[in-house]
C-alpha cells in the first residue's frame, strides 16, 4: 500500500497527524495528538519522573512500532508538549489552571454531548473556546432579557 494511502487512512482515523523528524533527518515518526486522558496521565507521571513522562507521551502518540533511540523520543515528546501548549492558547480566556480541567471537561460534555477525555488536545481546546463563547453569549442574552423585563415592569 502506498505511503500516501496509509497516511490518508491515519488522518481519517486520528485527525491531525504530526510528522516529527530528527535534526539529521535519519529518524521520522508519525504521531497522533494525545487525547485529554493521555495528557492528564502524562502530567501525573511528570511529577514523579519527567524523563519517563515524556517517553510515555511519545509512546502513546507514535503510530508506527519502531525502535527509536531515547534522544529522539525525548525530543519528539517535547515537541508534542510544545504543540499542546500552542493548542491551549485561545482568545476568550487563559488556559484553565490545573484544577480547572475537570470543570472545562464538564463544560464541553454539557455543551456538545461528547466525551472530552477522548478528544485530541487541539479539539479539546477548540471546543472549550466555543463552549466558553456559548456560555458568555447565553449570559448576555439572559442579562438583556432581564433588563427588558425590568424596563417593561417598572415603566408603567
Amino acid at each position: 500500500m502506498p505511503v500516501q494511502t496509509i497516511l490518508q487512512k491515519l488522518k481519517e482515523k486520528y485527525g491531525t497527524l504530526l510528522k516529527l523528524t530528527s535534526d539529521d533527518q535519519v529518524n521520522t515518526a508519525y504521531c497522533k495528538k494525545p487525547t485529554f486522558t493521555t495528557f492528564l496521565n502524562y502530567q501525573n507521571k511528570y511529577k514523579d519522573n519527567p524523563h519517563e513522562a515524556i517517553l510515555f507521551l511519545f509512546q502513546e502518540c507514535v503510530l508506527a512500532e519502531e525502535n527509536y533511540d531515547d534522544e529522539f523520543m525525548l525530543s519528539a515528546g517535547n515537541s508534542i508538549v510544545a504543540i499542546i501548549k500552542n493548542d491551549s492558547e485561545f482568545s476568550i480566556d487563559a488556559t484553565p489552571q490545573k484544577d480547572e480541567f475537570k470543570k472545562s471537561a464538564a463544560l464541553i460534555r454539557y455543551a456538545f454531548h461528547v466525551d472530552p477525555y477522548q478528544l485530541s488536545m487541539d479539539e479539546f481546546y477548540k471546543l472549550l473556546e466555543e463552549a466558553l463563547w456559548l456560555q458568555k453569549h447565553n449570559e448576555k442574552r439572559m442579562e438583556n432579557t432581564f433588563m427588558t423585563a425590568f424596563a417593561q415592569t417598572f415603566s408603567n
Side-chain angles (χ1 to χ4, degrees):
M1 197 179 292
V3 173
Q4 291 300 333
T5 306
I6 294 170
L7 290 177
Q8 187 59 36
K9 288 185 179 187
L10 290 172
K11 283 182 182 179
E12 289 172 6
K13 184 174 182 179
Y14 297 110
T16 305
L17 292 183
L18 308 173
K19 181 180 180 183
L20 304 171
T21 308
S22 62
D23 291 336
D24 57 6
Q25 306 292 321
V26 173
N27 294 321
T28 299
Y30 288 95
C31 299
K32 62 183 178 178
K33 287 192 176 181
T35 62
F36 188 59
T37 303
T38 302
F39 185 68
L40 288 178
N41 289 337
Y42 156 77
Q43 283 185 322
N44 289 336
K45 290 177 186 288
Y46 193 85
K47 294 175 199 169
D48 298 330
N49 189 340
H51 177 82
E52 288 297 320
I54 293 171
L55 291 177
F56 163 79
L57 184 63
F58 175 78
Q59 291 166 347
E60 286 292 312
C61 295
V62 71
L63 296 173
E65 293 293 325
E66 294 183 27
N67 290 329
Y68 299 103
D69 60 21
D70 274 1
E71 185 178 327
F72 176 72
M73 290 192 298
L74 289 171
S75 175
N78 283 325
S79 295
I80 293 170
V81 171
I83 290 168
I84 291 169
K85 286 182 181 177
N86 188 37
D87 288 342
S88 69
E89 296 173 2
F90 52 88
S91 58
I92 290 180
D93 196 1
T95 303
Q97 298 300 318
K98 190 173 181 179
D99 60 334
E100 297 283 323
F101 276 123
K102 287 187 179 182
K103 293 177 188 175
S104 300
L107 185 61
I108 290 170
R109 186 180 300 108
Y110 174 76
F112 300 107
H113 306 289
V114 297
D115 182 3
Y117 295 100
Q118 299 304 314
L119 299 172
S120 64
M121 291 304 292
D122 61 331
E123 279 297 311
F124 178 86
Y125 283 110
K126 285 177 189 175
L127 289 180
L128 178 59
E129 184 175 14
E130 291 174 16
L132 289 170
W133 181 87
L134 285 170
Q135 186 179 39
K136 187 175 181 180
H137 176 72
N138 285 338
E139 288 171 0
K140 287 284 185 196
R141 201 169 72 193
M142 188 180 300
E143 182 180 312
N144 290 338
T145 301
F146 281 132
M147 287 177 21
T148 302
F150 286 136
Q152 288 176 352
T153 301
F154 295 112
S155 66
N156 293 333

